[in-house]
Amino acid sequence: MTEQTADHLQIYSDGDQAHARAAWCREVLNTAPDRFDAGRQIARRLGALVEDGRVEFGFWTPELQDWRIADGDVYLEILRPREALDLTASTRDVTFDRVLLPVERCEAFTFAAAKGLRAGDRDSVGDFYALVWRDQDGALNRILDPLASSLPYGAFAPAEIYDLPAMQARRHDKGYFEQVRGETPHKFAPPTSILQVHVPTATPGGTLAALTRQFERLGARVAAGLPLEPDDELFAGYDAVQLLPVEPTTVYEAGPAFWTDSDADDSAVTAHLMRPDTTNWGYDIVISGMATVNPVLLETARPDELVDLAAVLHNFPRYPKMLVIDLVFGHADNQGLNALNSHFFAGPNMYGQNLDYHNPFVRAILLEMQRRKVDFGADGVRVDGAQDFKWWDASTQQMRHDDAYLQEMSELVQSIAGTEYHPWFVFEDGRPWPQEDWELSSDYRAVIENQRDFDPDVFQWGPLTFAHNTPFIYTFWLSKYWRIKEILTRGSNWISGTANHDTLRRGTQVSPKLNINTRLGETKMEILDKAYDNPAVSILTYAALPGVPMDFLNATARASWGFVRNQDDKYGVKVVAEEAISLKWQVDEYAYSIPGAFRFLKELGFETREDLARFMEFLPALVEVTDYDLHTIATLLNAVEPTLAGPHPVTVGVLKQIARAWMDDMHEYCNVSHSTSKLDPVQTNAMRRLRMFRLHNPWLRHNLRPDDHFRYVEPIDGRTVFVSLRNAPQGGEVFTICHMEGGETEEIDPLDLLPDSVSRNDWYLAIRSPGIGSDYMGGPITLRDSMGLVFTRGLDVTHLSDEPH
């Protein structure tokens, strides 16, 4: 064991262990069947691993080979704060003792080991680290750890050594995993319904800890048999919760950085630290840091918060809830170029950068990131943009879909509490997206067909979920009938429903001048809200169609939603110009006038919604006609008569300031807590009863049988009305009628719409949509837009009010 020089810190380099690890790496590279297999073995030893009283470090560093950096110029940097460090403080200057430890290299891999280091946990802050190399000017340059376990200051700062074994040992849902332990890895089955959640807008606190408390409250009330209030009901009845991505996202493009060295030498570093505070919808990721949690989402700055949420869901009284995480490996934001070495990338794409999936070490490291992330406690995984996993085939000069890699992802074995398992997998794959005809030509089956032999329960997003739909346009439902017929016969392995983070945002981008279904509401806000939280659509999804229904919390809460990202400097004004139309759909004069709402825009001089709307009428047009020339845009805005509200004169800097204010204000406006006082208890209760109905009838997930029926009522007469009859495998029937759009029906007895061969006797009205009085138990009725009914025969419907036993 080789001691390093800073004895007063009692940090010691374990040179023997580092040398042994490098020798092991060389043996693996020489003897593995191929480089991908070697990479998968080596990737398990990358990052900072706390074990046996020491910490081992591993990095993939091909750039050191590219730049011909000598071994003697490469060190492991350890940073220990001289005083207690509060990771939740908004800003502070901190001095760290810096220790430089020797490393051992093996080809493109670099290893180190040390004793005496402090590992962070729930109650304490650990030492920070990075790899550094000395250039010809004597300056130290950092290489950050993309497989870090804790990143209190984001993916562009030194990582914290974190004791993951201690975190796993303290988790409170070990029994959940232990009960499914077997001789072979357990495979988690699909849930019956999913609640999709954007953590920062889901609760007033906007953190994983706050979301955990929300489910703790719900669980306590369910266990005690207490009534649920409307905001509780939003979270109830689901047996899975899917989080929008919780990994580190982009940082402020023009600064400030969350970690800035202000003074440094070989023995000390003084850094200006800021608590990360960006707002993002979650999909602007940089790949680096994917194995841990975005610090913006952590109330305590401890990644344990994700484990805590998993435990609360898994231990939910009477019925456990699955945790589904969203993995984004199909692309990286351009900022990823500053966080990872160039070997990770294969060139630019429409989102930023393609990843080089044909590099065996990139391939292996991404899988290892996935394994470590899922080990936080997820029993389900949703893969974003699977159609974007591609590689360039030089022999044919074309891009090929990397289906083999998608299968590698779903075959990965997880391990928690001694239980090995395969998570349930869902892929968003709309290939041939982004071709012009993608909506017509995509069959949403590519991954399902490719992986059927390995996993008959692999899922994809279905056509109504993926297709950026707009169910508030007249004729939408009849025009989509060909897709609905596909769902009936092929939808058992599709995610269903029309409201998610993509479709709701798509709805806010539609011109109100189109053929809007004004029967949904008197205002644009009412129309949008009801389109994506529609009783008839929910009855269709939960009581008639196969697959697994998914709802987006912001939609069921009738809260706002949009592309929220306040980090952009170069294109921020352009993004806001594209989002400006959402002002027409989501913000009225009253909402804008509420004290505290839109405070940053009001501070800039946009005192009323009319002020802002007038400015936003000019901005998109000027962005288009000037080809996004910010200087020209500013000049033209200054020439508008009468003068526009807002800062004067308008400059490029002012335009960027307005764009940042828009994003910050809209992010706050989208918080679900602002909508809870306006929730209709009749609506929230009806939708929860519908979810409970699905939970107790999981057979509805499967495709329609030959003796089932589904059709639209003819003659159409200016409306679209769907009726469905489904037969339970063990006996019993479900009959639904859903008025999707258009004028009201004549007075009809719904049971008269049953097939002629089916008896009209002994039917029970299980669910009625809001708008139909509680005194209606059956018989003649006039149905209007968005109304629906569910009748059952021979089924137990006594548990619709409570979480299932």
Side-chain angles (χ1 to χ4, degrees):
M1 182 181 293
T2 304
E3 292 189 7
Q4 60 84 41
T5 56
D7 293 325
H8 67 285
L9 296 177
Q10 297 184 329
I11 297 175
Y12 304 94
S13 172
D14 191 341
D16 293 340
Q17 182 62 26
H19 179 78
R21 185 58 62 194
W24 166 83
C25 175
R26 189 167 294 107
E27 177 71 12
V28 170
L29 289 171
N30 290 340
T31 61
D34 53 48
R35 295 177 72 82
F36 177 49
D37 184 83
R40 294 192 69 167
Q41 294 184 57
I42 296 168
R44 295 293 293 264
R45 304 304 308 178
L46 300 183
L49 306 179
V50 178
E51 51 189 30
D52 299 328
R54 64 170 169 259
V55 183
E56 286 192 30
F57 301 85
F59 299 83
W60 182 49
T61 53
E63 66 269 47
L64 295 180
Q65 291 181 307
D66 297 341
W67 302 333
R68 303 292 192 270
I69 306 300
D71 290 6
D73 287 330
V74 183
Y75 311 92
L76 176 71
E77 175 189 40
I78 301 295
L79 299 170
R80 176 172 292 174
R82 289 180 176 173
E83 298 179 354
L85 180 58
D86 181 3
L87 299 175
T88 65
S90 59
T91 182
R92 65 183 301 179
D93 293 314
V94 176
T95 298
F96 297 85
D97 285 312
R98 172 188 256 173
V99 181
L100 301 178
L101 301 179
V103 301
E104 291 279 346
R105 292 170 65 185
C106 166
E107 302 295 336
F109 296 94
T110 302
F111 298 95
K115 292 188 175 183
L117 298 176
R118 296 173 182 170
D121 58 25
R122 183 188 292 275
D123 303 314
S124 61
V125 179
D127 294 330
F128 290 78
Y129 71 96
L131 202 65
V132 296
W133 58 277
R134 197 182 300 276
D135 60 27
Q136 292 181 343
D137 296 327
L140 292 174
N141 304 273
R142 285 194 181 111
I143 296 176
L144 303 174
D145 181 9
L147 284 118
S149 300
S150 177
L151 290 166
Y153 298 100
F156 296 88
E160 178 192 10
I161 300 171
Y162 208 76
D163 193 343
L164 289 182
M167 182 179 73
Q168 292 289 356
R170 296 171 65 169
R171 66 183 309 135
H172 297 296
D173 57 352
K174 294 179 186 176
Y176 175 84
F177 291 99
E178 289 170 349
Q179 69 182 349
V180 297
R181 184 184 302 164
E183 295 182 0
T184 59
H186 173 73
K187 175 65 180 180
F188 279 101
T192 60
S193 65
I194 305 170
L195 175 65
Q196 188 189 41
V197 172
H198 177 243
V199 174
T201 60
T203 63
T207 63
L208 285 164
L211 185 61
T212 298
R213 290 192 293 271
Q214 176 70 35
F215 279 104
E216 285 177 334
R217 168 188 161 83
L218 178 63
R221 298 187 70 79
V222 168
L226 297 173
L228 300 185
E229 296 176 277
D231 56 328
D232 293 319
E233 289 189 305
L234 292 176
F235 295 86
Y238 302 96
D239 59 349
V241 175
Q242 177 185 312
L243 306 179
L244 269 66
V246 295
E247 34 271 349
T249 60
T250 51
V251 295
Y252 295 120
E253 200 169 57
F258 301 133
W259 178 302
T260 306
D261 289 349
S262 57
D263 187 30
D265 57 34
D266 282 7
S267 62
V269 172
T270 298
H272 181 69
L273 304 181
M274 293 180 57
R275 181 172 183 175
D277 62 350
T278 53
T279 59
N280 199 283
W281 67 336
Y283 292 95
D284 301 306
I285 51 83
V286 295
I287 299 299
S288 186
M290 294 287 281
T292 188
V293 185
N294 186 351
V296 176
L297 308 182
L298 299 175
E299 185 175 294
T300 62
R302 306 288 78 190
D304 302 64
E305 288 184 29
L306 184 54
V307 174
D308 294 343
L309 176 61
V312 165
L313 295 176
H314 293 157
N315 295 330
F316 198 85
R318 303 183 185 174
Y319 202 89
K321 300 181 186 293
M322 297 172 66
L323 173 64
V324 181
I325 62 168
D326 199 334
L327 287 179
V328 188
F329 283 154
H331 64 276
D333 187 274
N334 284 323
Q335 286 192 23
L337 296 169
N338 300 321
L340 300 169
N341 68 67
S342 62
H343 292 252
F344 273 95
F345 304 104
N349 64 21
M350 62 187 297
Y351 305 112
Q353 295 292 320
N354 289 306
L355 299 179
D356 187 359
Y357 302 106
H358 248 212
N359 185 311
F361 299 127
V362 172
R363 206 171 179 86
I365 289 170
L366 292 178
L367 286 177
E368 180 61 14
M369 287 180 174
Q370 172 189 322
R371 187 188 67 80
R372 296 187 191 186
K373 187 56 156 288
V374 176
D375 271 353
F376 274 90
D379 31 15
V381 175
R382 182 257 186 184
V383 178
D384 179 72
Q387 72 277 345
D388 298 325
F389 288 67
K390 299 176 182 177
W391 57 277
W392 179 252
D393 187 342
S395 64
T396 61
Q397 292 293 293
Q398 62 181 353
M399 296 295 289
R400 292 191 180 277
H401 290 282
D402 202 341
D403 290 306
Y405 192 66
L406 298 179
Q407 182 152 342
E408 291 279 359
M409 296 179 74
S410 58
E411 289 182 352
L412 202 63
V413 176
Q414 304 297 143
S415 180
I416 294 179
T419 297
E420 292 189 335
Y421 70 95
H422 294 289
W424 173 60
F425 255 81
V426 180
F427 293 87
E428 180 202 36
D429 192 318
R431 66 183 78 176
W433 166 270
Q435 288 180 200
E436 291 292 333
D437 67 341
W438 69 271
E439 189 172 352
L440 289 174
S441 55
S442 177
D443 65 4
Y444 305 95
R445 304 286 299 177
V447 182
I448 291 173
E449 299 297 339
N450 287 331
Q451 296 195 24
R452 183 180 297 279
D453 290 341
F454 165 72
D455 181 7
D457 275 339
V458 68
F459 267 63
Q460 287 186 228
W461 273 27
L464 293 185
T465 301
F466 185 91
H468 299 179
N469 53 57
T470 51
F472 53 92
I473 303 294
Y474 271 125
T475 75
F476 173 85
W477 288 103
L478 205 56
S479 69
K480 295 292 184 182
Y481 190 68
W482 67 286
R483 283 297 194 190
I484 292 173
K485 289 200 298 182
E486 286 183 320
I487 295 172
L488 300 176
T489 58
R490 309 177 69 186
S492 63
N493 284 51
W494 278 342
I495 301 299
S496 61
T498 61
N500 58 67
H501 72 280
D502 272 335
T503 58
L504 182 52
R505 176 177 177 255
R506 172 61 175 165
T508 69
Q509 304 303 299
V510 172
S511 170
K513 296 179 181 180
L514 295 181
N515 192 21
I516 304 300
N517 181 0
T518 55
R519 297 180 188 276
L520 290 172
E522 296 183 359
T523 67
K524 296 182 184 69
M525 290 177 66
E526 289 178 0
I527 291 170
L528 188 74
D529 287 345
K530 194 168 183 179
Y532 291 104
D533 181 35
N534 188 295
V537 176
S538 295
I539 287 174
L540 175 72
T541 304
Y542 278 85
L545 298 183
V548 170
M550 182 176 72
D551 297 326
F552 182 38
L553 177 63
N554 292 62
T556 57
R558 302 196 174 187
S560 296
W561 178 245
F563 180 44
V564 286
R565 168 183 176 165
N566 70 356
Q567 301 97 305
D568 243 326
D569 180 70
K570 184 176 181 180
Y571 291 112
V573 176
K574 185 176 184 179
V575 172
V576 168
E578 294 170 352
E579 290 287 301
I581 194 172
S582 68
L583 188 65
K584 299 177 184 294
W585 286 108
Q586 299 192 112
V587 186
D588 60 16
E589 192 68 43
Y590 175 76
Y592 194 88
S593 69
I594 294 174
F598 299 93
R599 62 188 183 100
F600 295 116
L601 286 166
K602 289 175 181 175
E603 288 172 2
L604 291 177
F606 300 104
E607 296 181 1
T608 68
R609 181 193 177 281
E610 183 180 359
D611 292 339
L612 180 62
R614 184 164 177 256
F615 183 91
M616 289 302 179
E617 287 291 340
F618 282 94
L619 183 64
L622 294 179
V623 165
E624 183 176 355
V625 300
T626 66
D627 197 24
Y628 195 52
D629 183 329
L630 290 178
H631 291 280
T632 303
I633 292 170
T635 300
L636 293 173
L637 288 172
N638 285 321
V640 172
E641 293 291 344
T643 302
L644 294 170
H648 290 283
V650 179
T651 64
V652 171
V654 165
L655 284 173
K656 293 180 178 181
Q657 187 180 13
I658 293 171
R660 170 68 185 272
W662 167 280
M663 286 298 184
D664 287 338
D665 281 340
M666 285 302 294
H667 180 265
E668 169 61 21
Y669 182 64
C670 289
N671 196 287
V672 167
S673 64
H674 299 315
S675 301
T676 54
S677 64
K678 297 175 287 187
L679 292 172
D680 179 359
V682 177
Q683 171 76 6
T684 59
N685 183 259
M687 295 304 98
R688 179 166 70 98
R689 285 170 57 85
L690 194 55
R691 296 191 290 271
M692 299 302 300
F693 181 81
R694 186 77 170 208
L695 279 164
H696 287 286
N697 293 279
W699 58 271
L700 287 167
R701 181 214 134 182
H702 299 288
N703 296 330
L704 270 66
R705 304 181 340 190
D707 57 343
D708 292 333
H709 300 268
F710 190 97
R711 64 185 177 93
Y712 58 84
V713 176
E714 298 180 276
I716 292 175
D717 287 340
R719 69 200 173 219
T720 302
V721 178
F722 293 146
V723 291
S724 168
L725 175 67
R726 299 201 57 184
N727 293 274
Q730 304 303 319
E733 298 157 290
V734 175
F735 176 65
T736 61
I737 178 169
C738 308
H739 189 310
M740 308 306 297
E741 60 180 326
E744 64 182 28
T745 67
E746 66 278 4
E747 190 173 72
I748 57 173
D749 186 330
L751 296 180
D752 287 341
L753 299 175
L754 282 163
D756 292 339
S757 60
V758 178
S759 170
R760 274 59 172 164
N761 298 325
D762 302 321
W763 288 93
Y764 171 76
L765 178 59
I767 294 173
R768 62 179 72 83
S769 65
I772 300 176
S774 59
D775 57 338
Y776 176 76
M777 301 303 294
I781 187 173
T782 298
L783 295 176
R784 297 185 298 276
D785 197 311
S786 306
M787 286 185 174
L789 297 164
V790 180
F791 294 87
T792 64
R793 184 163 61 178
L795 294 175
D796 181 7
V797 292
T798 59
H799 300 292
L800 295 186
S801 299
D802 301 308
E803 293 290 326
H805 295 274

